[in-house]
C-alpha cells in the first residue's frame, strides 16, 4: 500500500510510519511540527529526546534500509496538501493531523480557534484532495471515544438503531463531548459522514480511548526511534502522566472523585488497529466505525495500579484527589461495545504489572528530563 500518514511526527504518527514501513508498505509522513512547537511555547516538551521528522526518517533508513518520505507543512493549506496527493497517489490516508488535546482547546480563545480551524479544515482538505485525485482512497480518521461522552446507556460502535412512533432508522450514536477538542472530533465525523453520503468516500473512524505506553515493536530496542512522550497536563494522557509523577515523587493527580471511567489501550494496539483497518478498508460509500479500546478503568483504578507497581519498585507513591479542573461526570455508567477490531484480528496488550514496570523503567531512564512545573497548571474548563 501507498500510505500517507498525516501528523507523522506525533505520539501515534511516528510509530505508525515505522509500523507500516517495517511491513513493506510505502510511507509518506507529513507534519507541521505543531506539537513540537506547542511543547516549546508551553514549556512541556517530550520526556524522550526526539530528533525531527527528517532526521527520524534518516535514522530509520540507516537502520532498516527502508525509506519513509517526509513533507513538512500545514495540511490546512490546500496548496500544500493537494500536490502531495497528486504526486503520491495514496491508497490510504491516516489522519492524525489534528490538535489532540482537550486542555489545549480550553486554554484560551486563540487555542480554541486554532483547534476548530485546524481540525475541521484539515479534514475538509483531505476530503477535497481525495475527490480530486482518487475517490477510492481509504481515509482512516482518528476519532475519539470522548465524542460519545458518558451516556447512561450502552455505547454502540458508532451507530444506533432507533424506533420512534412505530418507525425505525439507524443514526450515528448520539454524541455529547465534554471539551471543545472532543466537540471538533464530533464535527469532523459529521463532515466525513456528509461526504461519504454525497460523494461515496470510504472512511474508517476509529473511536479511540486514551492511549498509554512508550515503545512499539520498532522502537523497543532503539531509543533514537522512540516516539514523543508527553506527561504534562496539556498533552500527556492520564496513565503516562501518573507513571512520570510516581517516578519524580509528585502525588498522582486524580481529578475529583476519580470515578471517571474511560476505555484505554496500549500504544502497540493503536498500531494494530490502524493496520488492520488499512488491510481491510471500508467500502465506497461506507462510514465504518470501531470503538478502539481494549479495557475500561476508573482513574482511581489507574492510580492504584501505578501505586502498587511503583511501590514494589521502591517509589513512595502518593495519590492525591485534587479539585477537578474539568467539567465532566465523576460518577457515571459506562459500557462501550468494542468487538469490531477484535473481529478484524486485534490481539490486545492488556495493562499488566509487567507493562507498567517497563514504563517505569523507561521513564526513570529519562528522569533528568522531567519538568515538574509542567505536571499540573490547572487549565480550568470554566
Ligand atoms: N485525569 C485525571 N488526572 C490527570 C489527567 C486526567 O484524573 O492528571 C482524568 C480526566 O479528568 C479524564 C481521564 O483522566 O477523566 C482521561 O483524561 P486524559 O487526559 O487521559 O484524556 P482526554 O483528555 O480525554 O484525552 C485523551 C487524548 C485525546 C483522546 C482522548 C480519548 O489526549 O487525544 O481523544 O484521550 S477519550 O478520553 O476516550 O476521549
Amino acid at each position: 500500500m501507498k500510505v500517507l500518514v498525516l501528523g507523522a511526527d506525533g505520539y501515534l504518527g511516528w510509530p505508525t510510519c515505522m509500523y507500516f514501513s517495517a511491513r513493506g508498505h510505502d510511507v509518506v509522513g507529513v507534519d507541521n511540527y505543531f506539537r513540537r512547537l506547542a511543547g516549546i511555547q508551553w514549556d512541556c516538551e517530550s520526556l524522550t529526546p526526539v530528533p525531527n521528522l527528517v532526521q527520524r526518517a534518516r535514522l530509520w533508513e540507516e537502520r532498516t534500509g527502508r525509506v519513509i518520505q517526509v513533507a513538512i507543512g500545514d495540511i490546512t493549506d490546500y496548496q500544500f496538501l493537494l500536490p502531495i496527493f497528486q504526486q503520491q497517489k495514496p491508497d490510504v490516508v491516516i489522519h492524525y493531523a489534528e490538535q489532540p488535546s482537550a486542555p489545549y482547546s480550553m486554554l484560551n480563545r486563540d487555542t480554541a480557534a486554532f483547534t476548530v480551524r485546524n481540525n475541521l479544515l484539515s479534514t475538509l482538505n483531505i476530503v477535497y484532495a481525495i475527490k480530486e485525485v482518487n475517490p477510492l482512497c481509504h481515509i482512516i480518521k482518528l476519532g475519539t471515544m470522548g465524542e460519545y461522552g458518558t451516556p447512561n446507556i450502552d455505547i454502540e460502535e458508532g451507530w444506533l438503531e432507533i424506533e420512534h412512533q412505530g418507525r425505525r432508522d439507524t443514526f450515528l450514536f448520539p454524541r455529547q463531548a465534554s471539551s471543545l477538542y472532543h466537540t471538533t472530533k464530533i464535527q469532523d465525523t459529521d463532515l466525513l459522514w456528509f461526504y461519504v453520503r454525497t460523494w461515496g468516500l470510504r472512511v474508517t473512524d476509529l473511536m479511540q480511548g486514551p492511549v498509554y505506553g512508550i515503545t512499539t515493536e520498532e522502537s523497543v530496542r532503539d531509543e533514537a526511534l522512540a516516539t514523543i512522550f508527553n506527561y504534562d497536563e496539556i498533552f500527556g494522557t492520564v496513565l503516562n502522566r501518573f507513571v512520570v509523577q510516581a517516578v519524580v515523587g509528585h502525588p498522582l493527580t486524580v481529578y475529583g472523585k476519580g470515578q471517571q471511567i474511560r476505555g484505554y489501550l496500549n500504544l502497540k494496539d493503536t498500531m494494530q488497529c490502524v493496520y488492520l483497518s488499512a488491510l481491510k478498508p471500508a467500502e465506497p460509500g461506507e462510514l465504518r466505525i470501531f470503538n478502539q479500546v481494549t479495557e475500561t478503568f476508573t482513574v482511581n483504578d489507574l492510580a492504584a495500579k501505578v501505586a502498587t507497581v511503583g511501590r514494589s519498585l521502591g517509589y513512595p507513591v502518593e495519590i492525591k484527589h485534587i479539585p477537578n479542573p474539568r467539567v465532566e461526570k465523576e460518577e457515571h455508567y459506562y459500557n462501550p461495545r468494542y468487538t469490531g477490531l477484535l473481529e478484524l484480528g486485534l490481539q490486545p496488550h492488556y495493562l499488566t504489572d509487567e507493562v507498567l514496570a517497563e514504563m517505569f523503567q523507561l521513564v526513570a531512564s529519562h528522569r533528568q528530563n522531567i519538568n515538574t512545573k509542567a505536571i499540573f497548571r490547572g487549565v480550568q474548563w470554566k
Side-chain angles (χ1 to χ4, degrees):
M1 287 179 285
K2 179 76 147 202
V3 186
L4 190 57
V5 180
L6 304 174
D9 193 46
Y11 179 50
L12 309 177
W14 174 240
T16 301
C17 290
M18 293 190 291
Y19 196 90
F20 278 80
S21 176
R23 285 156 186 77
H25 303 286
D26 266 349
V27 177
V28 183
V30 179
D31 205 287
N32 65 352
Y33 289 147
F34 159 75
R35 181 73 171 259
R36 283 174 188 263
L37 298 174
I40 294 170
Q41 185 183 1
W42 294 93
D43 191 23
C44 55
E45 290 178 79
S46 173
L47 177 79
T48 44
V50 278
N52 70 40
L53 188 55
V54 176
Q55 294 164 337
R56 290 167 140 183
R58 201 179 303 133
L59 284 169
W60 177 249
E61 191 176 345
E62 283 165 18
R63 306 305 203 252
T64 64
R66 298 182 189 276
V67 175
I68 294 175
Q69 294 182 66
V70 169
I72 302 302
D74 183 349
I75 69 161
T76 66
D77 174 3
Y78 194 58
Q79 303 319 316
F80 167 73
L81 185 67
L82 181 62
I84 294 176
F85 271 84
Q86 287 167 330
Q87 284 152 22
Q88 302 293 346
K89 301 197 171 48
D91 303 303
V92 54
V93 178
I94 301 169
H95 179 21
Y96 296 128
E98 300 209 7
Q99 190 301 93
S101 157
Y104 185 89
S105 74
M106 303 299 290
L107 274 165
N108 58 46
R109 203 232 50 120
D110 288 350
T111 61
F114 174 83
T115 304
V116 172
R117 193 169 51 238
N118 183 78
N119 293 3
L120 296 184
L121 264 188
S122 61
T123 305
L124 185 76
N125 283 350
I126 294 165
V127 164
Y128 265 84
I130 280 180
K131 166 126 185 300
E132 211 160 318
V133 174
N134 173 15
L136 287 179
C137 176
H138 178 209
I139 303 175
I140 299 178
K141 197 265 291 186
L142 248 282
T144 163
M145 288 298 289
E147 291 178 45
Y148 302 125
T150 50
N152 199 30
I153 59 171
D154 294 352
I155 299 174
E156 301 300 323
E157 293 205 73
W159 303 94
L160 185 65
E161 196 178 328
I162 292 181
E163 187 178 327
H164 181 64
Q165 308 212 353
R167 301 181 70 83
R168 291 189 154 265
D169 205 344
T170 301
F171 298 90
L172 283 173
F173 192 90
R175 282 144 210 252
Q176 42 187 1
S178 62
S179 81
L180 177 71
Y181 151 72
H182 289 98
T183 302
T184 62
K185 304 290 284 192
I186 297 174
Q187 292 168 324
D188 68 10
T189 297
D190 254 327
L191 260 184
L192 289 169
W193 176 217
F194 170 70
Y195 287 111
V196 163
R197 297 195 308 272
T198 308
W199 290 347
L201 300 188
R202 53 204 313 184
V203 176
T204 299
D205 198 353
L206 297 173
M207 311 292 276
Q208 188 172 242
V211 181
Y212 60 84
I214 311 179
T215 53
T216 57
E217 264 173 70
E218 288 68 38
S219 65
V220 70
R221 274 174 291 280
D222 199 337
E223 285 251 323
L225 298 173
T227 189
I228 281 184
F229 183 87
N230 285 94
Y231 56 91
D232 59 278
E233 179 183 334
I234 298 177
F235 291 108
T237 48
V238 62
L239 186 64
N240 291 350
R241 282 167 56 61
F242 283 177
V243 173
V244 170
Q245 291 169 4
V247 166
V248 83
H250 191 290
L252 307 192
T253 53
V254 174
Y255 294 167
K257 295 192 176 116
Q259 290 297 104
Q260 304 91 307
I261 310 171
R262 300 287 183 271
Y264 291 84
L265 80 164
N266 191 308
L267 178 60
K268 291 175 181 150
D269 292 343
T270 298
M271 300 302 108
Q272 285 190 69
C273 293
V274 173
Y275 193 65
L276 290 166
S277 301
L279 290 182
K280 194 170 182 315
E283 296 298 326
E286 182 189 10
L287 171 61
R288 179 178 60 165
I289 302 177
F290 294 124
N291 292 343
Q292 187 162 308
V293 305
T294 59
E295 40 193 344
T296 59
F297 298 109
T298 65
V299 177
N300 289 331
D301 292 335
L302 296 179
K305 280 175 181 291
V306 169
T308 304
V309 173
R311 286 172 193 150
S312 77
L313 296 171
Y315 297 99
V317 184
E318 190 196 329
I319 298 174
K320 194 168 171 191
H321 288 258
I322 55 179
N324 197 336
R326 306 183 180 195
V327 177
E328 62 183 356
K329 286 187 194 143
E330 291 178 11
E331 283 172 313
H332 56 89
Y333 180 77
Y334 199 67
N335 189 24
R337 194 182 298 280
Y338 45 95
T339 51
L341 287 160
L342 293 169
E343 281 159 18
L344 274 193
L346 169 66
Q347 311 257 312
H349 294 78
Y350 293 112
L351 181 59
T352 59
D353 288 357
E354 291 69 38
V355 167
L356 274 170
E358 190 192 308
M359 285 177 70
F360 266 89
Q361 196 190 348
L362 262 152
V363 168
S365 73
H366 294 291
R367 194 195 160 112
Q368 72 286 357
N369 294 342
I370 299 173
N371 168 10
T372 49
K373 290 200 187 74
I375 288 178
F376 187 73
R377 306 166 193 257
V379 179
Q380 298 292 325
W381 259 225
K382 279 194 177 162

